[in-house]
């Protein structure tokens, strides 16, 4: 008599099984007929990734150290950031993780570039139209809360195991902050400034390029920073579907209980995360030097 | 330099709300702002505005906050769409312009100065001043040359590499003015341009504007809530209240013949001695048997006339036009009456 209250009335087992099976079969046949096409569509990504990896692995390590030092100096003008960045990489190299680190960095760079290329225009569109915002917002919510393992499944079914599905998984995870913060940054631009640009006869494109984007840049930079951090966080999970780099040793350490191996590679990920973060933040701050000398 | 052009605002209405068109007829038939608000939830922004602005003149539109003056000025370059009415400039109706036409019109015919400056914070003074020209597509060297000239003209030489946040409010508004003037548009729209400035700087900037106007002869629409400012710079003044023009005319008209108690209340604290000109108060000369010896210019103020008469113990002055012709007489008592605002029959 009370059993209908304690156990939730659910669809019958056979119905559920049939439902699952039909969705699975549907997707599988979709994969079989369009898999090659989709793989072909994403093959430029493969080229991009391999090019990045070859670039980073083929360049002599002293050159890489010099380039990183130069980037750090250019972005921050702070000796502390430069020394910290170089020291991090030197330690990583000394502990035998140079090649894995380069692979991870190339993956993160590719994912970040892709996220900017997709996220910036989408964020702009979202800021310009309330309708686009209403459609895109819930999709972003899903992308951010759906456990990443779940969307790994269809990606792997479609594209198999390797760099490209890994990259796609990383981009799905790292893209939302880029879109959200671009949208936010543009929406926060002072309407009086925009009214002035209108009054002088700016076209929509002039308004975007000369006022909205530059004024939203600090927020957009925060979005890029977030995207880099999230891409790094996905490295270990992506290694489960064959992405090479620092994630692989961590994965091995988990399954074999190699405590030190896990720790070293974990620290290497933390190290490059801090490195990316400091450099990109310092750059973002320098881009808005007009705010520093505030008059009062 | 382009020739000055006039602006004609005809039967302009602006109703804010979900379905403004539906209520234009009712407002035309005499529905008041309060009724419209109470019955239909729409706000009457502007009601039947008719103003003719002569080429090369300064038209002040004055009113307290909420009177619709900022809404009105935004109709001239259509930053706000009217609900009904026309704005005719050079024979073309601005309200009927297409998007592209409107953009060209804004680029070449109008320039605007804003209460809160509206400068681009990430750009230097020079790049801000050159913004209008940049949008027009002028080459960099040329637009910098023009912008530099105006930066110097408004007194900001040496600051062209500064950012707006490094400047005081008065200096920022000079940048706003330089940006507008660099455009070389025949119409200059100034939306409470000086309201955010403190009184001394405001006076200073008014002087800058009046001096500039001597050279460039633009058609200037100047919004303000400050009567002294309106009387000082306006060739003509339109007084706005609750979205309607309640009086328009010269400063003299408004001070001497206020249309209603509201305007009278407004002008009662004005320094009439300085605002009123001899020419507006003088009497026709044929009423006098003997014309006084001493003379005064027709555009001198009442205060100056009184000073001259008091110093020389005179009972009247002869009024001369700029060519030296006698055009009237100003008796001491009439000057006093005009000064105090009493309507007493001065020269019985």
């Amino acid at each position: 008599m009370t059993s209908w209250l304690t156990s939730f009335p659910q669809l019958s087992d056979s119905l559920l099984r049939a439902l699952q099976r039909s969705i699975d079969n549907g997707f599988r046949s979709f994969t079989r007929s369009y898999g090659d096409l989709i793989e072909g569509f994403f093959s430029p990504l493969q080229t991009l990734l391999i090019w990045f990896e070859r670039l980073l692995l083929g360049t002599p390590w002293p050159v890489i150290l010099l380039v990183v030092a130069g980037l750090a100096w250019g972005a921050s003008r702070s000796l502390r950031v430069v020394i910290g960045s170089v020291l991090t990489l030197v330690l990583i190299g000394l502990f035998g993780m140079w090649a894995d680190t380069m692979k991870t960095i190339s993956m993160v760079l590719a994912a970040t570039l892709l996220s900017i290329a997709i996220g910036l225009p989408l964020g702009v569109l979202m800021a310009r139209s309330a309708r686009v915002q209403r459609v895109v917002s819930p999709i972003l919510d899903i992308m951010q809360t759906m456990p990443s393992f779940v969307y790994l499944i269809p990606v792997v079914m479609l594209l198999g195991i390797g760099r490209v599905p890994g990259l796609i998984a990383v981009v799905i995870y790292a893209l939302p902050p880029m879109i959200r913060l671009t949208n936010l940054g543009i929406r926060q631009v002072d309407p009086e400034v925009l009214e002035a640009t209108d009054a002088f006869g700016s076209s929509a494109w002039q308004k975007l390029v000369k006022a909205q984007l530059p004024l939203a840049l600090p927020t957009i930079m925060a979005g890029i920073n977030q995207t880099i951090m999230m891409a790094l966080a996905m490295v270990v999970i992506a290694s489960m579907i064959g992405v090479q780099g620092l994630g692989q040793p961590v994965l091995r350490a988990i399954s074999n209980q190699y405590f030190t191996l896990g720790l070293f590679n974990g620290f290497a990920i933390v190290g490059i995360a801090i490195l990316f973060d400091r450099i990109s933040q310092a750059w973002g701050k320098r881009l808005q030097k007009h705010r520093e000398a505030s008059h009062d | 330099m382009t020739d000055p052009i006039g602006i004609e605002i005809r039967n302009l209405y602006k109703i804010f709300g979900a379905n403004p068109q539906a209520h234009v007829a009712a407002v035309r038939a005499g529905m008041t702002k309060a009724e419209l608000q109470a019955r239909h939830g729409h706000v009457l922004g502007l009601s039947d505005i008719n103003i003719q602005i002569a080429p090369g003149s300064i038209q002040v539109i004055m009113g307290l906050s909420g009177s619709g003056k900022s809404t009105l000025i935004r109709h001239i370059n259509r930053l706000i769409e009217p609900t009904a009415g026309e704005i005719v400039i050079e024979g073309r109706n601005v309200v009927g312009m297409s998007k592209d036409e409107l953009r060209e019109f804004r680029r070449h015919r109008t320039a605007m100065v804003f209460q809160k400056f509206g400068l681009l914070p990430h750009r230097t003074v020079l790049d801000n001043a050159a913004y209008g020209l940049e949008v027009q597509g002028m080459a960099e060297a040329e637009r910098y040359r023009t912008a530099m000239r105006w930066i110097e003209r408004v007194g900001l030489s040496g600051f062209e590499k500064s950012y707006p946040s490094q400047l005081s409010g008065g200096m920022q508004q000079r940048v706003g003015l330089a940006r507008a003037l660099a455009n070389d548009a025949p119409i200059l729209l100034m939306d409470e341009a000086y309201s955010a400035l403190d009184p001394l700087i405001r006076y200073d900037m008014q002087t800058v504007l009046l001096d500039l106007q001597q050279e460039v002869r633009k058609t200037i629409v100047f919004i303000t809530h400050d009567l002294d400012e309106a009387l000082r710079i306006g060739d003509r003044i339109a007084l706005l209240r609750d979205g309607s023009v309640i009086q328009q005319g010269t400063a003299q008209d408004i001070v001497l013949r206020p249309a209603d108690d509201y305007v009278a209340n407004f002008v009662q604290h004005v320094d009439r001695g300085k605002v009123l000109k001899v020419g507006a108060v003088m009497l026709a000369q044929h009423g006098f048997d003997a014309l006084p010896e001493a003379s005064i210019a027709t555009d001198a103020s009442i205060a100056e006339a009184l000073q001259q008469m008091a110093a020389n113990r005179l009972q009247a002055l002869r009024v001369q036009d700029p060519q030296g012709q006698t055009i009237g007489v100003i008796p001491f008592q009439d000057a006093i009456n005009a000064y105090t605002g009493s309507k007493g029959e001065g020269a019985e």
Side-chain angles (χ1 to χ4, degrees):
Chain A
M1 140 93 204
T2 53
S3 72
W4 67 274
L5 272 177
T6 49
S7 69
F8 199 92
Q10 59 174 18
L11 299 174
S12 77
D13 284 352
S14 55
L15 185 65
L16 277 177
R17 252 196 309 278
L19 186 69
Q20 283 168 4
R21 197 171 310 132
S22 69
I23 293 176
D24 278 347
N25 287 338
F27 190 71
R28 222 167 270 139
S29 67
F30 170 80
T31 310
R32 262 196 295 276
S33 34
Y34 294 102
D36 290 341
L37 203 75
I38 289 168
E39 230 178 292
F41 176 75
F42 285 116
S43 74
L45 292 182
Q46 176 93 359
T47 323
L48 176 79
L49 272 172
I50 292 179
W51 185 82
F52 258 124
E53 250 184 63
R54 289 222 180 108
L55 179 75
L56 284 176
L57 283 171
T59 313
W61 61 265
V63 178
I64 300 249
L65 284 186
L66 270 177
V67 169
V68 169
L71 279 177
W73 175 254
S76 68
R77 294 290 141 86
S78 143
L79 216 56
R80 254 186 55 202
V81 175
V82 175
I83 293 173
S85 307
V86 172
L87 202 67
T88 308
L89 285 180
V90 167
L91 280 174
I92 285 173
L94 281 178
F95 281 81
M97 298 176 289
W98 184 265
D100 280 344
T101 302
M102 289 304 120
K103 285 176 190 160
T104 291
I105 289 179
S106 69
M107 173 61 115
V108 169
L109 282 182
T112 306
L113 280 182
L114 206 59
S115 298
I116 294 173
I118 300 169
L120 197 68
L122 257 179
V124 169
L125 270 179
M126 227 173 132
R128 295 177 68 88
S129 139
R131 213 156 78 216
V132 174
Q133 166 150 295
R134 266 202 305 278
V135 174
V136 175
S137 254
I139 299 178
L140 293 182
D141 291 337
I142 293 172
M143 282 164 77
Q144 283 187 300
T145 45
M146 177 75 80
S148 39
F149 292 105
V150 175
Y151 57 74
L152 281 182
I153 303 165
V155 170
V156 171
M157 282 173 75
L158 268 173
L159 297 165
I161 282 195
R163 289 189 187 86
V164 173
L167 179 65
I168 290 170
V170 172
V171 169
I172 291 174
Y173 187 70
L175 185 58
M178 186 66 216
I179 300 176
R180 275 194 212 280
L181 286 167
T182 302
N183 175 32
L184 180 72
I186 288 181
R187 281 178 185 268
Q188 277 177 340
V189 172
D190 185 355
E192 305 209 5
V193 172
L194 295 182
E195 188 180 45
T197 61
D198 276 338
F200 281 90
S202 313
S203 63
W205 175 253
Q206 284 171 329
K207 199 159 84 172
L208 179 70
V209 174
K210 294 177 197 295
Q212 288 171 309
L213 280 180
L215 290 173
L217 201 57
T219 315
I220 295 175
M221 282 304 295
I224 295 178
N225 178 283
Q226 283 298 301
T227 293
I228 296 175
M229 294 304 117
M230 294 184 73
L232 265 171
M234 266 298 273
V235 161
V236 176
I237 292 170
S239 73
M240 292 174 65
I241 56 169
V243 172
Q244 300 205 315
L246 292 168
Q248 292 276 3
V250 175
L251 206 61
R252 238 181 307 133
I254 293 171
S255 43
N256 297 315
Q257 298 177 1
Y258 295 150
F259 173 60
T260 322
L261 180 71
L263 203 63
F264 281 179
N265 283 278
F267 271 128
I269 293 174
V270 171
I272 53 176
I274 293 175
L275 188 151
F276 273 129
D277 179 66
R278 295 298 182 271
I279 292 181
S280 64
Q281 277 203 21
W283 191 41
K285 245 180 228 146
R286 264 171 47 79
L287 280 177
Q288 32 172 339
K289 59 175 187 257
H290 61 272
R291 275 167 218 261
E292 277 169 22
S294 187
H295 180 98
D296 264 307
Chain B
M1 194 107 332
T2 35
D3 283 333
I5 53 180
I7 304 168
E8 208 180 325
I9 302 172
R10 292 184 197 150
N11 310 103
L12 191 74
Y13 288 87
K14 177 67 185 176
I15 299 169
F16 294 101
N19 189 9
Q21 287 298 344
H23 304 291
V24 176
V27 171
R28 278 213 180 101
M31 183 180 274
T32 66
K33 183 172 182 164
E35 276 178 293
L36 183 71
Q37 172 86 53
R39 268 201 241 158
H40 304 291
H42 281 54
V43 176
L44 183 56
L46 292 173
S47 175
D48 198 18
I49 306 287
N50 287 283
I51 300 176
Q52 287 209 22
I53 303 172
S57 69
I58 302 184
Q59 169 76 52
V60 168
I61 294 167
M62 136 135 222
L64 300 179
S65 54
S67 62
K69 55 192 191 303
S70 283
T71 307
L72 176 54
I73 199 172
R74 279 167 175 69
H75 279 81
I76 296 174
N77 58 356
R78 238 175 90 194
L79 286 174
I80 296 178
E81 296 285 339
T83 310
E86 289 182 339
I87 291 154
V88 180
I89 293 170
E90 292 179 299
R92 292 164 73 206
N93 182 8
V94 179
V95 179
M97 285 182 181
S98 72
K99 241 179 139 184
D100 291 343
E101 284 173 329
L102 181 62
R103 198 161 55 229
E104 282 306 303
F105 170 78
R106 286 174 178 167
R107 281 181 186 174
H108 297 287
R109 302 329 256 163
T110 65
M112 195 161 180
V113 183
F114 296 86
Q115 180 176 10
K116 289 177 188 152
F117 321 135
L119 301 175
L120 293 162
H122 63 292
R123 288 179 161 227
T124 61
V125 167
L126 181 61
D127 274 319
N128 265 296
Y131 184 80
L133 303 175
E134 184 181 333
V135 168
Q136 290 174 12
M138 188 184 279
E140 191 179 87
E142 200 185 341
R143 66 171 188 256
Y144 279 169
R145 202 163 43 235
T146 311
M148 253 338 271
R149 207 173 67 230
W150 286 107
I151 288 172
E152 279 161 25
R153 186 61 190 76
V154 300
L156 280 178
S157 311
F159 290 97
E160 62 272 7
K161 293 271 175 281
S162 306
Y163 288 97
S165 61
Q166 296 167 311
L167 306 178
S168 67
M171 289 162 90
Q172 290 189 46
Q173 195 53 296
R174 282 168 196 262
V175 180
L177 195 57
R179 172 174 68 178
L181 290 167
N183 233 21
D184 194 24
I187 294 172
L188 185 58
L189 305 173
M190 303 188 68
D191 178 28
E192 297 217 39
Y194 298 161
S195 299
L197 309 177
D198 56 59
L200 275 180
I201 294 173
R202 192 186 308 172
Y203 191 85
D204 204 37
M205 291 293 286
Q206 289 165 5
T207 311
V208 170
L209 184 71
L210 288 172
D211 287 350
L212 279 168
Q213 176 68 345
Q214 294 299 319
E215 304 169 26
V216 296
R217 277 284 149 202
K218 290 184 184 300
T219 307
I220 301 177
V221 182
F222 193 104
I223 302 288
T224 183
H225 60 248
D226 176 356
L227 186 63
D228 289 323
E229 186 166 72
L231 296 173
R232 176 157 187 238
I233 66 168
D235 292 323
R236 288 181 68 81
I237 299 167
L239 267 151
L240 221 57
R241 183 194 186 189
D242 286 344
S244 305
V245 174
I246 46 174
Q247 185 171 9
Q248 49 179 325
T250 63
Q252 317 290 316
D253 291 339
I254 286 171
V255 173
L256 284 174
R257 289 174 286 278
D260 60 16
D261 288 348
Y262 180 79
V263 183
N265 224 346
F266 230 127
V267 298
Q268 68 173 345
H269 300 295
V270 168
D271 184 349
R272 301 166 64 96
K274 277 193 194 141
V275 172
L276 292 177
K277 303 291 182 237
V278 170
V281 183
M282 67 181 184
L283 304 176
Q285 53 179 314
H286 54 69
F288 293 83
D289 305 332
L291 292 177
E293 265 309 295
S295 66
I296 190 161
T298 175
D299 60 349
S301 68
I302 298 287
E304 285 170 305
L306 283 170
Q307 249 169 21
Q308 198 179 330
M309 287 190 266
N312 303 314
R313 296 173 182 285
L314 299 171
Q315 280 308 304
L317 291 173
R318 202 149 47 79
V319 181
Q320 285 184 337
D321 67 8
Q323 282 77 43
Q325 292 287 321
T326 300
I327 53 169
V329 172
I330 179 157
F332 188 73
Q333 191 59 47
D334 284 75
I336 289 280
N337 285 347
Y339 186 64
T340 54
S342 57
K343 297 225 163 65
E345 298 335 277
E348 289 106 321

